[in-house]
Each structure stands twice: as structure tokens, then as C-alpha cells.
Amino acid sequence: MFWKFDLNTSSHVDKLLEKEDVSLLELMDEDDLLQECKAQNQRLLDFLCQPQCMEELVQLITQQPPEDMDEKVRFKYPNIACELLTCDVPQINDKLGEDDNLLNILYDFLRQEPPLNPLLASFFSKTIGNLIARKTEQVIGFLRKKEKFLTLVLEHIGTSAMMDLLLRLISCVEPASLRQDVLNWLNEERLIQRLIDLIHCSQDEDRQSNASQTLCDLIRLSRDQCSQMQEILETDPLLVTLESQPCVEQLLHNMFNGEPSETCVVCGTQILLTLLETRRPSVDPLLDSLPQGYERPGAVVSSSVLQGIESRLKDFHHLLQHPPKKESILTTIGILEEPLGNARLHTTRLIAALLQANTSSINQELCRLRTMDLLLDLFFRYTWNNFLHIQVEMCIAAILSQSLKNGKSYGAMEEKTNLEAPNGNAEDSETLISEQENLMITHLFQECCLVQRILDAWETNDKIQAEGGMRRGNMGHLTRIANAVQSMEKSPIQLQISDFITELPEDCRGRWETFVEETLTETNRRNTVDLVNTHHLRSSSEDEDIDSAFPSELSAQQAFSDYQVQQMTSNFVDQFGFNDEEFAEQEDNINTPFDRITEINFNIEAEDENPNAALFEACYNEHIQQFDDEEEDIWEEKEIGYGTQVKSRTRFGASQSSEDSSRSDLENGEPESSPATDDEGQGGCHNAETPPTLSPINGSPPTRRDGTTSEVLFSS
């Protein structure tokens, strides 16, 4: 037991500190050193805060350990040193943050030639970050005196720890006034412009990727802090600079200057997508049906960002047609000669974000370039790239959503026109509405031929499957798109969609009507049934054989037998005295084979001629033993036997559940149902004139005066 151990034994650290010549490395070999430090062992802290010990700790995290050391212990001491310096002990923080000599040793780490050792860089970043949070004024003042601080950090931006250091400068500075000073300082040092300059094909991939990630995190972090802070002294200068049109244009210039590289395009597009993000949730049901994890661009998007992107839409369109060259790859379905590529995928994501921003000039430019037509070509060409499929589906959903909103405005506008001029010219009203007609929806149905493409792709897939081939990977998304189009026919813009369908060739129009009424309806029904019935699937064919072995008239008897077996199994452990702790595997639940009983919920009609009632009475009289009228204490200590177990089983089993349910109905004063409701599937009901007699002790099911049973529900 615990009192056998001596809890007052002194620490090995205290014993070592009693030695006069103890070294720092000797202490760092002790397992409980960090624990004693966090517990603020005063003797230990006094030792660690000596100038020579603090200097040795800082050198351990900034200098490469000898290469001839065993790799297993080479970074042991630097790791422990970092933990000691960042354990958030005030005495250590004060000693480190107020000593310029120690800070200079830390700063000299940045003067090394790249690349930095990533592990040491993480120790350095963690230590500086802790000081920024705990000794803010001292450390910020020290760093601002170093003219080349940001230059050295950006020189090592290829190491991810430097990215973390920049973000700590933005997020860990308090109070708000000091944070604003730091943001102004970073903006004056042109941090944003210098990060954008790193996203260029002349830079290596790590530097571009980390610079892009830094800018994306900075945007989200700045927006979150602006929304959470109650008192905002000034706007965030870094965010304002990043959202400015010159910065957006410079970013796009770097992306498309010369021969575009995939890394540069992807990194730049990620920043643009982050600028188009919004934290406000969508209230549009069509957009809410889109997959989770996609942050929908909102109405409040900086116009300078959109204007900067608009002038480069032709470059993105050209990129979709002529992506950076990629080698063919071997996939599970064969060799892909021309992969889609990450650049085209991110371009598609950007187009989807721009469509949801719903800017008139951008929509017109996309229509002029026929970008949606090109995206649909890629959708049906790369039938196994679901990353592309979901983005194209988002594009179509955004267009249909816009048309839905515009359709509502059309109806309101038409009603207003009729009210103002009841005898006015109908042609003027139609002209006014047609001028507001959604450009993208017309482009999608007439120039992109969306309906014809859906029908052709569906028939092609049916032909492939009929020949023994595999179902195409984009059919699920195609089904959702078809459903979205079909649902638009019931929307406020029904007339506009109907006109598009009517203008189709006669054979195509007939194919669409047949497709919607038969093929799509059947597909939706099948998908719904499959989703609903998933939890009824069996893990083996034995359960199916058992279910089919009993005819419907024996379902009550079989359910009752399963119920008895379950109750006996549930009490098996208590009956034979096993302890739960003796079972090592928690997953070995002996009740598992009998969980199927919980799914049984059946009714027995309270009719005299119902054969199920007589069948249940026979089973009940044969298996259930009546209790005496005297209430017994269920917690009374007594020898457990089989007879007692039968009583317990009957007392707390199905009959009790049914009885409680009936009693609750009477106590709540619920209206009695008529015989007509029984025919509608509501189950047996009590006689409205003669309520059933309740038996709270014997556990028998509620009975009517004529002897027939009421609704019975078995549950485990």
C-alpha cells in the first residue's frame, strides 16, 4: 500500500547540490531535475541562475554539439537546457530577459549561415518566444535595436522555427498599446513586402512555402484578434498593407512572371484564398449543403483584393489550359499521362471563392473567358480526381445560389412594378427584369451546356457499367449537381430555368425529363435507403439465416427467447463471481452477440381475434413467475441463486419498461387514441371507457378487463 513508501525522502538533486564541485551536466543527468525546477526548489534555482550556469544553458541551445557524440544523446543536454529556460519560473525569466550578455548570445544564433539546425532553431525560437511573452518590454526593446534582426530572420525563413518566431512577435505581445507599436515597427520594416518577395520562382520551395504560410497565419491571426478585442486603438497595419491592391498585384506579378512554377502558383494562391476567407457563417441552405471544412467567402471582401485579382484572371485561365509540365504517374487505375497538378487544383479553388464573392465585373470576365466551360471539361476529363470534383461542384452551387437570390429580387421587383403601375406596360417590366438577369446562370446553361453534359456523362457511365466496367469516380458529385439543378426548377427562378430546358433540342429535353422522373429519382431513393439501413448490416451471414428462419408469426416468441438469453448473459458475471478487473481486453464484451435485441420494437394489437395476443399470453404464462404482492428490498444482502435471478430479470426487464410507459401515459393525461389510429400504425391502445389495471409489483403487462394485452415493447 502507499504508506509503505517513504514519501519524505530527499531528492537526488538536493544531494548533488550539497557537493561543492557539482557541475551543471551532473544535475542534467537527474531525471527529476525539471520537476524540481518547476516546483521552484530554491537551492536549485540559486545554482541555475549563477552567471556561468545561465551562460552554459544558453550556449547549449545555440551551439552545435560535437559531431563525434553518440546520436542518441547528442541533443539530450540542449533539449533539457531549453526546458529549463522555458519552464516559466520567474527567477529564470528575470535573469535571462534582463541580461544583455545572455540575449546577445541568443541573437548570435541568427548570424550563422543557412540552413540552421532545425532542432536548435526550435530551441532558440521557443526560448525567445517565452521571453517575448514574459519579459515583453525588455526583449522587444533589445530586438528593435538590432537593425538586421528581420533580415536575419527572413534569411532563415526556410526553417519553420523562424516562421513561429515571427508569429510570436505578432500574437504574444501585451498590452494592446505595446502590440500596436510592434505592428507599426514591423510594418515600417516592410515585413509584408519582403515576405511577398520570397514567393518567387527564384527562391527554393521551403522558403516560398514558409513565407506563404506565415502570411496566411498572419491574416487569420490579425482578423481574429481584431474581432475579439473590445477596444481597438488602431487598425492592424500589417493586415491593411497585405490587403492593399499594390501588394496583391506584386504577389500576382511574382506568380506569373516568366515561366510559372507550380510551387510559386500554389503558395501565392493560398494567400489569395486566405484573403477571400470570412468567419461569418453562411445562411444560404444551398451553400450550407457543401462539404464541411470549406470556409465560404463572404460579402465583405476587400475591393482592392478583388480588383487586383480581376486583372490577372486571364493568367489563371491560361494556367488551366497550359499548366506547368508534369511527368506521367502510375495510379491504381492505370497510368495518368497528364496529371491535373496542384497548380490547376488551387486555381479551381480560387475560381470557386471568386464566384461566391459574386462580383459583377469578375463574373463578366469569367464568362468572357469561358472559364466555367473549361472547368467542366476538366471535371469530366479527370473522372477520378475528387479534389477537383468538389471544387467544380462548389462553383456550380455558388452560381445557382446567386441566381436563387437574384430570382427573389426579380419577383419582388416585378411585384413592385405592377403595384406602381397597374395599367403600365408589361414590356417595361419585363425589360427591367431581364436587365437584372443573372449572367452566370445563363452562361452555365446555354454556353456551358450543363444539362447536356450531365445526360451524356450519365449515359456514358451506364454504358461502361453495362459492359462490366467500373462506375466513374465523379458520379456522386454529378448526382448532387443534377439534384441542385432539378431543385432550381422549384425555386423563384423557375421560369428562367424552365426556359433554358425548353430551349433544348427536343430529344435532349425528353431525355432530361425522363432522367429527372426516373433515373435521378431512383438514384436518390437507393442512396437514401443505403444510408438509412447502414446500421442494420450484419457482420456475418449467420444473423441473416437466423432472421429468415422464423416466419413473421413467430417473431414475438423468438424475440422473447432472445430477451431471456440476454438477461441471463447480462447477469453471468455477478452470478458466478467474476471480477471486471480480471478481463484484460475491454473490447471482449460478452453482451455483444445479444445487442441485436435492442433493435426489436414491435406492437401487438389489442384485438380479441389477434393470434399474436394468444401467442404472447402462452409464452408469458409459461416463462414468467408471478411475484407476491409484498414489496421486497432489492438491496438486501442475500445469497444469489437462480430463482432470485429470475425475479430480478422479470422485475427490471421488458414488462417493467412497458408498465412504466403505460403509467406515464395515464399520468400525463394523454388523449386515448381511436381504433382508427390503431390501423394507422400507432399500436394497441387502452379502452377509453375502461382504463387498464396496472400491476406495479408483479411486472405483468397492462391488461384490459376483457383479458387482452396492450402494447408491448421489449428493450434491453
Side-chain angles (χ1 to χ4, degrees), residues 9 20 80 82 94 129 167 184 193 218 241 287 299 324 346 394 427 445 487 508 522 646 648 667 684 711:
T9 56
E20 295 182 359
I80 297 175
C82 177
D94 294 341
L167 294 177
N184 290 331
Q193 293 88 336
L218 188 150
T241 301
L287 289 181
H346 275 72
M394 288 179 180
E427 295 181 358
F445 280 90
S487 65
C508 185
E522 174 61 22
V646 172
S648 177
E667 290 176 354
E711 179 180 352

Side-chain angles (χ1 to χ4, degrees), residues 177-286:
S177 58
L178 181 57
R179 176 180 179 272
Q180 193 69 36
D181 290 341
V182 172
L183 294 178
N184 290 331
W185 165 54
L186 295 176
N187 192 49
E188 292 170 1
E189 294 290 329
R190 297 176 53 84
L191 174 63
I192 299 300
Q193 293 88 336
R194 293 161 78 173
L195 285 171
I196 289 177
D197 289 341
L198 293 175
I199 303 175
H200 194 274
C201 57
S202 62
Q203 302 289 335
D204 62 72
E205 294 185 2
D206 289 339
R207 290 168 65 84
Q208 292 188 63
S209 178
N210 287 346
S212 173
Q213 188 63 47
T214 301
L215 290 172
C216 292
D217 291 343
L218 188 150
I219 295 169
R220 297 188 179 103
L221 188 61
S222 298
R223 288 177 175 174
D224 287 343
Q225 289 185 341
C226 290
S227 62
Q228 294 173 3
M229 294 177 62
Q230 300 295 332
E231 299 180 359
I232 302 178
L233 301 179
E234 301 178 37
T235 57
D236 190 326
L238 296 179
L239 184 59
V240 172
T241 301
L242 189 50
E243 291 179 339
S244 65
Q245 187 170 347
C247 277
V248 175
E249 292 176 347
Q250 181 61 41
L251 174 62
L252 290 164
H253 174 76
N254 294 347
M255 292 168 57
F256 296 107
N257 185 26
E259 188 69 20
S261 68
E262 183 170 82
T263 301
C264 187
V265 170
V266 170
C267 292
T269 306
Q270 287 176 342
I271 299 173
L272 297 175
L273 287 169
T274 308
L275 287 171
L276 295 174
E277 284 180 359
T278 181
R279 298 296 179 183
R280 187 177 64 186
S282 170
V283 296
D284 194 308
L286 183 60

Side-chain angles (χ1 to χ4, degrees), residues 93 96-97 103 106 127-136 139:
N93 291 337
L96 183 58
L103 292 177
L106 277 173
T127 304
I128 290 290
N130 180 72
L131 290 176
I132 291 174
R134 302 305 177 190
K135 307 295 294 183
T136 308
V139 175

Side-chain angles (χ1 to χ4, degrees), residues 503-699:
E503 293 173 0
L504 295 174
E506 184 177 353
D507 60 333
C508 185
R509 185 170 63 252
R511 288 165 56 200
W512 174 254
E513 294 174 355
T514 304
F515 170 77
V516 171
E517 294 175 1
E518 299 178 4
T519 306
L520 186 59
T521 302
E522 174 61 22
T523 300
N524 292 333
R525 185 199 64 79
R526 185 172 62 251
N527 291 343
T528 303
V529 170
D530 290 344
L531 290 174
V532 171
N533 291 341
T534 299
H535 65 283
H536 293 300
L537 297 178
R538 304 299 179 194
S539 58
S540 67
S541 59
E542 296 180 1
D543 291 339
E544 298 177 0
D545 295 340
I546 293 176
D547 291 339
S548 60
F550 295 94
S552 58
E553 61 268 15
L554 297 181
S555 59
Q557 184 175 359
Q558 175 61 24
F560 185 80
S561 300
D562 290 349
Y563 168 75
Q564 281 192 307
V565 175
Q566 180 193 17
Q567 292 299 309
M568 184 176 67
T569 308
S570 300
N571 296 310
F572 180 82
V573 174
D574 295 334
Q575 208 169 8
F576 290 89
F578 287 100
N579 193 311
D580 290 341
E581 298 178 356
E582 298 179 18
F583 295 93
E585 296 293 336
Q586 298 298 328
E587 292 81 2
D588 295 339
N589 186 353
I590 59 177
N591 294 329
T592 300
F594 305 95
D595 286 344
R596 185 164 53 89
I597 193 69
T598 61
E599 301 176 4
I600 299 177
N601 184 357
F602 59 92
N603 297 329
I604 296 180
E605 302 292 345
E607 300 176 2
D608 295 341
E609 65 276 7
N610 192 334
N612 289 337
L615 176 62
F616 181 82
E617 287 290 346
C619 296
Y620 168 76
N621 294 329
E622 178 181 356
H623 295 283
I624 299 298
Q625 298 182 6
Q626 298 293 330
F627 282 96
D628 296 330
D629 292 338
E630 298 179 0
E631 182 70 37
E632 64 180 44
D633 186 3
I634 62 174
W635 303 109
E636 181 181 357
E637 295 185 0
K638 55 193 173 187
E639 182 179 359
I640 299 177
Y642 180 76
T644 304
Q645 206 62 35
V646 172
K647 288 186 177 183
S648 177
R649 178 172 69 245
T650 309
R651 186 181 186 84
F652 300 103
S655 300
Q656 186 71 17
S657 301
S658 177
E659 177 185 334
D660 292 343
S661 175
S662 302
R663 184 188 297 113
S664 175
D665 292 344
L666 292 178
E667 290 176 354
N668 295 334
E670 297 182 0
E672 303 295 342
S673 59
S674 63
T677 58
D678 293 347
D679 297 337
E680 295 172 0
Q682 298 298 326
C685 300
H686 303 310
N687 191 322
E689 298 179 357
T690 58
T693 302
L694 299 178
S695 301
I697 297 180
N698 59 16

Side-chain angles (χ1 to χ4, degrees), residues 194-446:
R194 293 161 78 173
L195 285 171
I196 289 177
D197 289 341
L198 293 175
I199 303 175
H200 194 274
C201 57
S202 62
Q203 302 289 335
D204 62 72
E205 294 185 2
D206 289 339
R207 290 168 65 84
Q208 292 188 63
S209 178
N210 287 346
S212 173
Q213 188 63 47
T214 301
L215 290 172
C216 292
D217 291 343
L218 188 150
I219 295 169
R220 297 188 179 103
L221 188 61
S222 298
R223 288 177 175 174
D224 287 343
Q225 289 185 341
C226 290
S227 62
Q228 294 173 3
M229 294 177 62
Q230 300 295 332
E231 299 180 359
I232 302 178
L233 301 179
E234 301 178 37
T235 57
D236 190 326
L238 296 179
L239 184 59
V240 172
T241 301
L242 189 50
E243 291 179 339
S244 65
Q245 187 170 347
C247 277
V248 175
E249 292 176 347
Q250 181 61 41
L251 174 62
L252 290 164
H253 174 76
N254 294 347
M255 292 168 57
F256 296 107
N257 185 26
E259 188 69 20
S261 68
E262 183 170 82
T263 301
C264 187
V265 170
V266 170
C267 292
T269 306
Q270 287 176 342
I271 299 173
L272 297 175
L273 287 169
T274 308
L275 287 171
L276 295 174
E277 284 180 359
T278 181
R279 298 296 179 183
R280 187 177 64 186
S282 170
V283 296
D284 194 308
L286 183 60
L287 289 181
D288 287 339
S289 67
L290 297 179
Q292 298 180 357
Y294 181 82
E295 299 195 29
R296 299 157 176 80
V300 183
V301 178
S302 175
S303 59
S304 58
V305 175
L306 296 173
Q307 291 172 4
I309 296 175
E310 181 181 347
S311 61
R312 287 285 186 167
L313 284 177
K314 59 181 181 298
D315 295 306
F316 285 106
H317 184 86
H318 183 268
L319 182 66
L320 290 174
Q321 294 176 314
H322 308 284
K325 184 64 177 178
K326 296 182 69 69
E327 299 294 333
S328 60
I329 59 176
L330 179 63
T331 68
T332 55
I333 58 171
I335 297 178
L336 188 59
E337 295 294 342
E338 184 183 353
L340 177 71
N342 212 5
R344 285 198 285 188
L345 178 61
H346 275 72
T347 300
T348 308
R349 291 181 59 194
L350 180 65
I351 299 301
L354 292 173
L355 286 173
Q356 292 184 30
N358 194 17
T359 305
S360 177
S361 57
I362 289 181
N363 291 348
Q364 292 178 7
E365 181 67 9
L366 291 176
C367 289
R368 187 187 69 82
L369 295 171
R370 298 182 61 89
T371 303
M372 271 306 303
D373 195 24
L374 180 55
L375 290 181
L376 287 173
D377 288 340
L378 296 175
F379 179 90
F380 294 109
R381 176 182 175 186
Y382 294 94
T383 58
W384 298 101
N385 194 321
N386 286 164
F387 296 105
L388 170 67
H389 302 158
I390 188 59
Q391 299 303 325
V392 176
E393 182 186 342
M394 288 179 180
C395 292
I396 296 175
I399 295 174
L400 295 178
S401 175
Q402 295 165 16
S403 66
L404 186 62
K405 295 177 183 178
N406 294 337
K408 294 179 181 178
S409 64
Y410 301 156
M413 191 180 305
E414 183 178 11
E415 181 179 357
K416 181 179 179 181
T417 304
N418 293 335
L419 290 175
E420 292 178 350
N423 298 324
N425 192 343
E427 295 181 358
D428 295 339
S429 175
E430 294 177 358
T431 303
L432 180 61
I433 296 175
S434 62
E435 290 177 354
Q436 298 293 330
E437 186 177 10
N438 187 279
L439 179 63
M440 289 301 299
I441 192 73
T442 304
H443 174 74
L444 184 64
F445 280 90
Q446 291 187 343

